[in-house]
Structures are given as structure tokens and as C-alpha cells.
Amino acid sequence: MSIAGLDDRMWDAGTPMTQRRRRVRCAYREACALELAALKPGNVHQEAGGHGMTVDDFLLSADASAWPLTDPDIGLGERLYRSVSATRSAVGRNTNLGILLLCGPLAQAVVDPRLSGSLRQRLKQVLERCDRRDTQGLFEAIRLAAPAGLGSAETHDVAGPVSATPLEAMAQAAQRDQIAYQYVGGFADLFERGQRLLDALEHRWSDPVWATAGLFMDFLARVPDSHIARKLGPEVARSVLERAAPLTKALLGASRPEGCRAELQRFDRALKAEGINPGTSADLTVASLFIRRLEPVCAELEATAGACRYSPSLAGGHAPRAIL
């Protein structure tokens, strides 16, 4: 068990906020671990590492970043910077910038005590409340992670002065970057198609690991992967999409996904031999799995808050007890 895991056990009996934070940490780690268990061509997974990285690198990164990611007392920019810094300290490289950019707002949507509503409503509040201080933290996090192929931009360059909110900066990049596009669109791809596909595949296959592999392949075959495009160019990203499309069709249509394993393994070896890593498709997969685990937490928070607000026992002028 990791040190973080021991800390979680020590704090099991803490305050409601401590318990909420623990649940979000566990959800984050579970999402990261499940994504790593799935066969994802070109990306690191349990069957094969790649690009100089191993599964252990990503598990250590998840453990290290889980604490700052779920801090209820900081804003999004500081949350992202501290999470990237913790990852750097743990593994000495960028393993999870895209994951953090997507999971940071989702984690804040649950741990920030000022927010209310469904997970999707809370996420909207997080993104709309961010200001230029959050952009400063966001830019510092990206500079610290130093992702491959970052390049420069005419406006809202991460190396330049801050002149916009995170949503404004992401809007400028949304046409070329899938993660920026999720910010601008309220993570609609993940809440809608991502969750429906997970439901359908888990129902058909009764195997969350294969369902995760199917979700990854669906992302890979629908939109050119931003990480590939940034590092190797848009033509290579489009080529990988076209190569993934028939494999994805076969997998998503299969009654038994194991029958596609050999073809997926061959594709995995080919992409890694070519130095191609569909990292953004993996990031979107982790965030989708994280949403899956956070939505029930938000539903419970709303139900508890409703009981507190409307309980007959609160009649007669008694002040409600803080329970969240």
C-alpha cells in the first residue's frame, strides 16, 4: 500500500469534507488504474510500457497528484500547478499533464464547498468562476510539465503574459486541441457520448477493462489525437485515426472483445515502433472514468443537502447543522 493509501485510512473517521476529499482521491486513483489496465494501442498499459515510460510511472504520478488535485482550499490554477509539481517530484517527468487539465476542474467541482447541483452543473460553475489568477497557475503548470511539441501561439501563449481567463485562453486553442475543446464545450463529449458508450460496453461485455479499451479506441477513431498532432503533425494524427477506425468498428461491434486482442496488440506494437503515442485519447479516457465515479458522489451530496434544508426536524427556528 502507498503512503497516500495509509494516510487515507488514518483519516477515514475525519470531517465530512475530509471524507468527501478521500472519496474523490479514491475515484481519481481508480480511474487512472483502470485506464492503465486496458489495452490501448500506442499508449502505456498493463501489457506493455512504451515511449520510455511504465505503468508504475503513471501509478506513482496518480498517487502523488491526488492530494493537491483534491485540495478544497485552492483554485483551479494553483490546483493544476501543485499537481504537476507533485508529479515532477515523484517521477521526474511529464506523465499526466492532460489528465490533470481534465481531472482538475472535475475534482474541484466536488470538493469546493461553495458549489451545488449535479457534477455537470458544478463543473460549469468552476470554469465560469476562474479568473486570470487561475490562468497564471495554468500556464505555470504547462511550462513546468513542458509537454512535447508545445510550440507557441500568437495570442494567450503560455510563455507570455496572462491576458485572459482560462476559458478565454482555451477558446483560442479549441480548434487544434481536444482538451481545450472540452473546456469550451463543458466536457460534453465525456458526459454524453463517453458515459453512454461506457454503459453500453459494460452491459454487453460485463468487463470494465475491455469497456475502457473500447472507449479509448472510440476517442482515437473519431478525432485526430492532439498529442500526436502536436508532436508529429496533423497528417500523422489523421493517419492514425484512419488506421484505428476499422479496428474500432470491429471491437465495438464484437460480442466478445477478446477476439480483437491480437489485432490491437499488433497495432500497439506498430505505433510504438513508430514513436506514436495517442496520449490525448488516453487523457480523455481517464477523465471519462473519473466522471463515472464522481457523479454518484455529487448525487449523494445533493440528496444530503436537500434533507438538511427540508427536514421537518429543522422547523421551529433551529439552525441547520452543517453537514457538507
Side-chain angles (χ1 to χ4, degrees), residues 21-299:
R21 187 181 178 190
R22 175 184 177 275
R23 290 185 67 182
V24 177
R25 276 200 306 274
C26 290
Y28 172 66
R29 291 182 181 126
E30 287 172 3
C32 292
L34 181 53
E35 182 264 347
L36 289 165
L39 173 50
K40 308 184 309 297
N43 199 249
V44 174
H45 52 84
Q46 289 284 6
E47 295 188 24
H51 316 289
M53 296 177 286
T54 68
V55 165
D56 284 346
D57 291 328
F58 286 88
L59 291 175
L60 284 171
S61 300
D63 254 4
S65 59
W67 281 84
L69 194 75
T70 58
D71 190 332
D73 299 320
I74 56 177
L76 181 61
E78 186 70 15
R79 185 180 312 280
L80 295 174
Y81 178 77
R82 291 187 188 184
S83 297
V84 169
S85 180
T87 299
R88 277 282 183 181
S89 296
V91 298
R93 64 189 304 168
N94 169 35
T95 52
N96 60 0
L97 175 62
I99 291 172
L100 295 173
L101 290 175
L102 291 167
C103 291
L106 291 166
Q108 183 167 335
V110 183
V111 301
D112 189 331
R114 301 170 298 170
L115 307 179
S116 62
S118 68
L119 177 61
R120 199 166 183 178
Q121 291 168 334
R122 289 164 176 257
L123 175 65
K124 185 173 186 290
Q125 294 167 48
V126 168
L127 297 177
E128 289 179 346
R129 292 183 182 191
C130 287
D131 57 24
R132 293 185 181 186
R133 290 171 298 178
D134 294 298
T135 309
Q136 184 67 48
L138 167 65
F139 283 7
E140 290 175 359
I142 294 173
R143 291 197 296 267
L144 180 59
L150 180 59
S152 60
E154 291 184 7
T155 58
H156 309 319
D157 192 296
V158 300
V162 172
S163 60
T165 68
L167 277 182
E168 291 167 343
M170 290 296 189
Q172 193 270 336
Q175 293 302 311
R176 65 176 184 273
D177 186 274
Q178 290 169 276
I179 292 175
Y181 181 80
Q182 296 308 316
Y183 270 67
V184 175
F187 290 42
D189 288 342
L190 312 187
F191 278 100
E192 295 170 13
R193 183 178 176 88
Q195 301 308 303
R196 288 197 300 269
L197 185 58
L198 278 174
D199 284 340
L201 295 179
E202 288 185 4
H203 178 74
R204 188 194 313 166
W205 296 335
S206 300
D207 189 328
V209 176
W210 272 113
T212 300
L215 179 64
F216 169 85
M217 291 299 295
D218 185 68
F219 282 129
L220 186 58
R222 283 197 297 121
V223 181
D225 187 280
S226 299
H227 181 76
I228 299 174
R230 191 165 53 244
K231 187 176 180 181
L232 301 173
E235 296 82 6
V236 175
R238 171 60 63 176
S239 172
V240 172
L241 181 153
E242 293 170 351
R243 292 161 68 184
L247 293 176
T248 302
K249 183 178 180 180
L251 176 61
L252 298 186
S255 58
R256 295 178 57 83
E258 294 86 352
C260 299
R261 182 185 295 276
E263 284 299 321
L264 292 171
Q265 289 173 327
R266 278 192 283 271
F267 191 34
D268 181 43
R269 291 192 294 270
L271 290 179
K272 287 171 179 172
E274 298 166 36
I276 297 174
N277 178 10
T280 303
S281 298
D283 299 336
L284 296 168
T285 300
V286 174
S288 297
L289 296 170
F290 194 36
I291 287 172
R292 185 66 168 272
R293 285 154 177 76
L294 292 182
E295 285 191 315
V297 178
C298 283

